[in-house]
């Protein structure tokens, strides 16, 4: 018999299953029980609907070792996400009740239950469906009917498994749980069997449970009084546009990169340079300045001019040695409008930034007309 190779791997298919649920149901609070190396959490943090992401595992060393995978990346600082996101890791058991896991929209338990002894499975059931009572639960576990397709397998698929169920065993357990805790359940799976295997079911069987009732505030209040038992191993708040500091930065970055583009366009129109002169000028720029220029061009490209309404009164102009770029022109960049909402807010943000030349109406750039029109006093944001 040919060895079975899943592509994508079974592990990835299970995680993709959860990610598809997140795409479909847009949960705000998501927890992964038995999060192991945090690889599912690592992928889930890119789903913008999620505002709270929690991992729980009984293996504290593993969490301590893998927690850095959940630190924000440089890209999260460059392009902060729209909604707030807090990621936390707890050390504790799925058999223990802790208010930290109340009020969740989705809880995943991927290849977890088969690691629990019979008594713990009972406690887990009550903790998850009775106490945590999330809106949705997804549970995956090996389907033992598939095992004959692994000819070298002796016993269970993993040394720590306490059981592996057939489809009937899993479905009976899941149906009992659902009727006991007032949930509905649908069955599915990942890891298609080969055609020659017949009706053996998926390699990993999956149950998706949906709560059939709305939890009362009174009930939740009572549960919140339970004593905390989990230990927090890690917690981080991601940079988000809901945070004034990041929002301001993002608005200024986008608005001033447009101001910079308009200023360069005006200079080119007033004092056209031929290709040779442009090359000479570029050669004079330091490596940093060249990178800044390229990035600024990229941002301008991301905000295509065609989206910005033309208005002759709002054109940038040169007065004496100063270029004026009307702020009203900058609010026409769709992203700037979306982020700061109104012209007054944009004017305030620009005026309050000491590194930007501004008279309250326009962004100002001093031009050194004696010295080949080099710009002096360029706001530092333009170095982005
Ligand atoms: N969900 C992981 C994934 O998709 O990558 C794989 C889970 S791994 C097979 C099982 C995990 O369950 C292990 O990390 C183990 O430490 C954890 N675990 C076992 N018993 C537990 C318990 N009582 N409470 C919390 N986690 C437990």
């Amino acid at each position: 018999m040919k060895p079975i190779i899943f592509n994508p791997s079974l592990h990835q298919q299970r995680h993709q299953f959860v990610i598809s649920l997140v795409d479909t149901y847009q949960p705000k609070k998501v927890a992964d029980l038995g999060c192991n190396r945090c690889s599912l959490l690592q992928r889930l943090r890119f789903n913008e609907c999620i505002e709270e992401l929690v991992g729980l595992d009984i293996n504290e060393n593993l969490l301590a070792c893998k927690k850095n995978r959940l630190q924000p990346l440089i890209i999260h600082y460059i392009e902060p996400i729209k909604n707030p996101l807090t990621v936390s890791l707890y050390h504790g058991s799925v058999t223990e009740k802790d208010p930290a896991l109340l009020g969740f929209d989705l809880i995943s338990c991927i290849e977890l239950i088969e690691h629990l002894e019979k008594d713990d499975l009972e406690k887990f059931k009550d903790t998850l469906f009775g106490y945590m009572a999330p809106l949705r639960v997804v549970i995956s576990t090996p389907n033992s009917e598939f095992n004959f397709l692994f000819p070298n397998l002796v016993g269970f698929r993993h040394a720590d498994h306490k059981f592996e169920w057939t489809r009937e065993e899993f479905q009976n357990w899941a149906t009992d749980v659902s009727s006991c805790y007032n949930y509905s359940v649908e069955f599915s799976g990942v890891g298609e069997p080969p055609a020659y295997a017949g009706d053996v079911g998926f390699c990993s069987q999956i149950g998706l449970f949906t709560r059939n009732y709305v939890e009362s505030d009174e009930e939740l209040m009572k549960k919140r009084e339970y004593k905390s038992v989990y230990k927090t191993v890690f917690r981080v708040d991601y940079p988000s546009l809901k945070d004034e500091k990041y929002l301001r930065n993002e608005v200024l970055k986008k608005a001033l990169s447009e101001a910079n583009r308009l200023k360069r366009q005006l200079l080119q129109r007033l004092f056209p340079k031929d290709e040779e002169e442009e090359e000479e000028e570029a050669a004079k720029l330091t490596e940093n300045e060249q990178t800044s220029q390229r990035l600024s061009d990229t941002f301008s490209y991301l905000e295509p001019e065609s989206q910005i309404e033309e208005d002759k009164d709002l054109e940038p102009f040169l007065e004496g040695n100063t270029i004026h770029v009307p702020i009203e022109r900058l609010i026409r960049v769709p992203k700037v409008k979306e982020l700061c909402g109104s012209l007054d807010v944009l004017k305030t943000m620009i005026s309050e930034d000491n590194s930007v030349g501004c008279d309250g109406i326009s962004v100002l750039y001093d031009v050194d007309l004696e010295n080949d029109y080099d710009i002096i006093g360029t706001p530092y944001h333009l170095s982005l």
Side-chain angles (χ1 to χ4, degrees):
M1 204 169 4
K2 271 209 237 146
I4 292 189
I5 297 169
F6 291 108
N7 189 10
S9 72
L10 197 57
H11 184 249
Q12 284 174 342
Q13 289 190 44
R14 287 190 291 255
H15 289 181
Q16 191 49 53
F17 190 93
V18 179
I19 289 162
S20 304
L21 290 178
V22 169
D23 290 341
T24 307
Y25 296 111
Q26 300 282 297
K28 280 190 177 169
K29 291 179 68 166
V30 177
D32 186 31
L33 309 187
C35 61
N36 197 253
R37 296 157 164 267
C38 307
S39 40
L40 177 57
L41 297 171
Q42 223 182 338
R43 290 183 65 185
L44 285 173
R45 71 197 161 137
F46 290 105
N47 283 72
E48 285 230 341
C49 60
I50 301 177
E51 298 186 5
E52 188 173 347
L53 191 56
V54 165
L56 172 73
D57 205 286
I58 204 162
N59 187 337
E60 187 176 6
N61 287 341
L62 192 61
L63 295 181
C65 211
K66 299 295 172 192
K67 64 182 182 190
N68 283 337
R69 291 179 154 199
L70 300 174
Q71 291 287 8
L73 305 172
I74 292 173
I75 186 70
H76 287 118
Y77 289 98
I78 297 176
E79 289 286 322
I81 48 179
K82 220 159 134 195
N83 296 322
L85 169 66
T86 304
V87 181
S88 316
L89 286 179
Y90 297 114
H91 168 231
S93 172
V94 293
T95 58
E96 298 169 309
K97 297 173 178 164
D98 186 304
L101 276 172
L102 291 175
F104 275 70
D105 301 304
L106 176 68
I107 292 189
S108 55
C109 309
I110 302 303
E111 306 297 280
L112 164 75
I113 57 171
E114 63 279 5
H115 292 266
L116 304 177
E117 297 285 0
K118 206 165 168 235
D119 286 358
D120 281 347
L121 188 62
E122 277 301 300
K123 288 186 201 150
F124 160 78
K125 201 172 72 173
D126 189 48
T127 304
L128 176 59
F129 292 95
Y131 179 76
M132 296 175 187
L135 192 55
R136 288 190 175 79
V137 174
V138 55
I139 294 183
S140 86
T141 191
N143 164 19
S144 63
E145 291 170 77
F146 198 99
N147 285 357
F148 82 95
L149 291 164
F150 301 119
N152 298 326
L153 183 69
V154 182
F156 294 141
R157 293 185 198 175
H158 191 280
D160 188 53
H161 285 180
K162 310 299 185 294
F163 60 86
E164 284 176 4
W165 281 335
T166 61
R167 282 173 289 176
E168 192 182 357
E169 285 169 317
F170 177 53
Q171 291 180 13
N172 285 343
W173 177 84
T175 309
D176 280 355
V177 168
S178 299
S179 65
C180 184
Y181 294 95
N182 198 3
Y183 275 74
S184 312
V185 61
E186 293 159 58
F187 298 102
S188 165
V190 292
E192 290 269 2
Y196 64 78
D199 178 24
V200 292
F202 292 102
C203 188
S204 278
Q205 46 186 339
I206 295 179
L208 173 62
F209 302 77
T210 306
R211 201 180 61 203
N212 292 330
Y213 63 96
V214 178
E215 198 166 35
S216 72
D217 290 345
E218 207 186 343
E219 187 59 30
L220 254 177
M221 290 268 279
K222 261 195 260 164
K223 289 178 175 180
R224 286 198 200 283
E225 283 167 16
Y226 278 56
K227 201 168 157 283
S228 289
V229 284
Y230 301 155
K231 177 178 163 193
T232 306
V233 175
F234 174 83
R235 183 185 298 268
V236 67
D237 291 322
Y238 273 57
S240 125
L241 295 175
K242 286 279 179 321
D243 179 329
E244 168 72 26
K245 178 177 74 183
Y246 292 111
L247 177 68
R248 183 177 283 266
N249 218 27
E250 192 67 6
V251 168
L252 290 176
K253 188 172 81 185
K254 296 254 183 311
L256 295 174
S257 97
E258 173 66 358
N260 191 32
R261 188 184 69 80
L262 292 169
K263 168 208 70 187
R264 283 197 285 125
Q265 211 176 47
L266 176 69
L267 278 175
Q268 179 61 21
R269 208 167 51 234
L270 296 176
F271 314 108
K273 286 181 181 157
D274 59 31
E275 250 176 53
E276 205 174 309
E277 280 176 305
E278 285 212 346
E279 272 170 26
E280 267 174 33
E281 194 135 295
K284 276 195 259 163
L285 296 176
T286 63
E287 203 175 310
N288 268 353
E289 286 167 331
Q290 288 183 29
T291 311
S292 309
Q293 194 80 53
R294 274 199 303 275
L295 280 170
S296 168
D297 286 346
T298 308
F299 281 125
S300 311
Y301 168 73
L302 290 174
E303 311 289 354
E305 258 180 287
S306 56
Q307 290 190 26
I308 302 170
E309 270 176 56
E310 288 293 335
D311 186 334
K312 285 277 169 275
D313 294 342
L314 301 180
E315 285 300 308
F317 59 93
L318 178 68
E319 192 178 64
N321 283 358
T322 305
I323 291 179
H324 296 241
V325 181
I327 298 175
E328 202 174 337
R329 173 69 194 260
L330 305 179
I331 192 92
R332 301 201 171 190
V333 175
K335 194 71 193 173
V336 175
K337 178 85 203 276
E338 182 194 322
L339 289 172
C340 70
S342 77
L343 179 60
D344 285 345
V345 174
L346 182 60
K347 280 182 175 167
T348 309
M349 283 185 179
I350 292 178
S351 307
E352 283 176 359
D353 192 313
N354 293 333
S355 66
V356 183
C358 176
D359 61 1
I361 297 169
S362 300
V363 174
L364 307 176
Y365 296 93
D366 289 335
V367 188
D368 184 355
L369 294 169
E370 299 299 312
N371 192 17
D372 208 14
Y373 317 118
D374 279 349
I375 300 295
I376 52 176
T378 306
Y380 79 94
H381 296 277
L382 301 183
S383 64
L384 274 172

